[in-house]
Amino acid sequence: MPLISLTLRAAAAALAMMATSPAGAQSGAADGQKLAFDRGKGNCLTCHEIKGGDLPGTIGPKLENLKSKYPDRGDLVAILTDETRRNPLTVMPPFGRNRILTEQEINAIVDFLQTL
């Protein structure tokens, strides 16, 4: 196997470990909160009440206790990516499918949501 391929795999593994570490999760949660509250990106406050957010909407449920409601973070990732797969009648925008948010941004928002 070429040395470059091994180096890239090692770098990817190191990044994955950093993202799952407590410091990585805290950084991801802070970035996720910024995205969630950003009216031009996540825009979660348009529909949801979130602790610390200004001028929340009431279309969607209040976002609290999400780690206990969704112990599998993959469920939250799926909801943000394309909730229409689980619920075709949802008004939740398909942030991932429509490329409004990247996979990295969705994971950061999930990091934040799991702190609520």
Side-chain angles (χ1 to χ4, degrees), residues 24-45 49-54 63 80 101 104-116:
Q26 289 173 351
S27 174
D31 291 343
Q33 181 178 17
K34 289 177 191 172
L35 287 164
F37 289 178
D38 184 334
R39 297 285 180 179
K41 272 304 237 180
N43 205 15
C44 301
L45 289 169
E49 182 180 338
I50 304 171
K51 181 180 176 181
D54 294 328
L63 300 182
L80 288 170
L101 296 170
Q104 182 179 358
E105 290 170 329
I106 288 171
N107 277 296
I109 291 173
V110 170
D111 287 343
F112 166 62
L113 293 175
Q114 289 189 316
T115 69
L116 300 176

Side-chain angles (χ1 to χ4, degrees), residues 28-104:
D31 291 343
Q33 181 178 17
K34 289 177 191 172
L35 287 164
F37 289 178
D38 184 334
R39 297 285 180 179
K41 272 304 237 180
N43 205 15
C44 301
L45 289 169
T46 296
C47 298
H48 300 279
E49 182 180 338
I50 304 171
K51 181 180 176 181
D54 294 328
L55 303 171
T58 58
I59 295 169
K62 183 176 181 178
L63 300 182
E64 61 185 357
N65 303 318
L66 292 182
K67 196 164 188 170
S68 64
K69 291 177 186 173
Y70 299 98
D72 179 354
R73 73 176 275 117
D75 291 337
L76 287 172
V77 169
I79 289 169
L80 288 170
T81 301
D82 186 1
E83 175 62 359
T84 63
R85 288 183 175 179
R86 291 181 349 145
N87 178 5
L89 301 177
T90 187
V91 295
M92 177 83 174
F95 289 100
R97 187 187 79 205
N98 287 352
R99 298 184 181 146
I100 298 165
L101 296 170
T102 66
E103 185 177 336
Q104 182 179 358

